[in-house]
Amino acid sequence: MRWSRHPRCVSLARAELRTALAGWGLLVLEEAAVLVLSELLTNAGQHARVSPGREIETRFRPVGDGVRIEVHDASTVLPEERRPEYDECGGRGLILVDALTDCWGYGERSGPGKMVWAELRAGSG
């Protein structure tokens, strides 16, 4: 699916992920998976400053007893986990992604920019 940087697209993408998880029999992952997607997609919308018409793309696929979530954007700026001060309002998204997933990372994609991915497994945790 392709999305604009508009914040309302995050809830639409979460609905698509919920549908996919239900179809794969992976609703046990729903709560964590939609939070991870929300963080990755919000990061792309906030930090991927790209020219108009360069949508953000999400891809979901089952992997064993889990799911792989990918967020593609046209920005070359790589994600960086921060350690915010206690009283800062933001900067904890990738800390949450790291805590909720079995693994996550980023890499090249076909076309300009990068792909940030995360995998969650039903048998973990």
Side-chain angles (χ1 to χ4, degrees):
M1 301 287 305
R2 292 188 182 212
W3 311 99
S4 75
R5 290 178 45 224
H6 194 283
R8 79 170 171 264
C9 291
V10 176
S11 64
L12 298 172
R14 285 193 303 246
E16 291 293 328
L17 178 56
R18 285 185 179 102
T19 299
L21 292 171
W24 298 325
L26 293 171
L27 282 177
V28 66
L29 296 174
E30 180 180 7
E31 188 175 330
V34 296
L35 181 53
V36 167
L37 173 64
S38 295
E39 292 298 333
L40 296 181
L41 196 52
T42 298
N43 282 352
Q46 288 179 344
H47 303 295
R49 302 285 182 214
V50 296
S51 53
R54 295 278 190 181
E55 290 91 6
I56 299 166
E57 184 177 336
T58 55
R59 298 180 188 175
F60 318 125
R61 66 181 164 102
V63 288
D65 66 343
V67 63
R68 179 178 173 105
I69 299 167
E70 296 179 2
V71 176
H72 298 240
D73 67 65
S75 172
T76 58
V77 177
L78 300 178
E80 184 178 332
E81 191 173 322
R82 295 183 46 222
R83 296 290 172 194
E85 294 297 321
Y86 177 77
D87 59 348
E88 282 185 76
C89 291
R92 292 172 179 79
L94 291 177
I95 294 170
L96 285 172
V97 169
D98 189 56
L100 293 171
T101 63
D102 292 283
C103 54
W104 72 275
Y106 54 86
E108 295 180 0
R109 68 181 207 131
S110 176
K114 67 181 172 304
M115 167 200 37
V116 182
W117 58 268
E119 293 185 4
L120 297 86
R121 301 259 189 299
S124 300

